[in-house]
Amino acid sequence: MTKADIVKQIAQETGVEAVTVLAVVEGFMEEVRAAQIRKENVFLRGFGTFLIKHRKEKTARNITKNTTIKIPAHDIPAFKPSPAFQRLLEKK
């Protein structure tokens, strides 16, 4: 499902114009993105959490050149579904 599909579905179900729904969806995504940049987690009760996971520095191997490289510590965005969301997925 794409963002356009989501906007179309919400517009059909609510009767709100697709342009307005698109603005709300875009605004939501921008707020989640901004919170992640600020290293804040976003909690949505009944849905899940958008969080930042920290990865430690580690040593890896480049097998084509047979050398070791250091991967610096970094943060990655992640999503953890809520228990209610997981139960819905398990029923299907």
Side-chain angles (χ1 to χ4, degrees), residues 15-34:
V16 177
E17 291 183 18
V19 175
T20 306
V21 174
L22 178 61
V24 171
V25 171
E26 287 284 344
F28 170 76
M29 290 172 29
E30 184 55 40
E31 285 302 315
V32 171
R33 191 177 303 121

Side-chain angles (χ1 to χ4, degrees), residues 28-42 50-53 75-78:
F28 170 76
M29 290 172 29
E30 184 55 40
E31 285 302 315
V32 171
R33 191 177 303 121
Q36 297 271 284
I37 290 170
R38 293 188 307 266
K39 299 190 188 312
E40 295 175 358
N41 295 335
V42 178
F50 294 93
L51 48 100
I52 295 291
K53 289 187 176 183
D75 294 323
I76 59 168

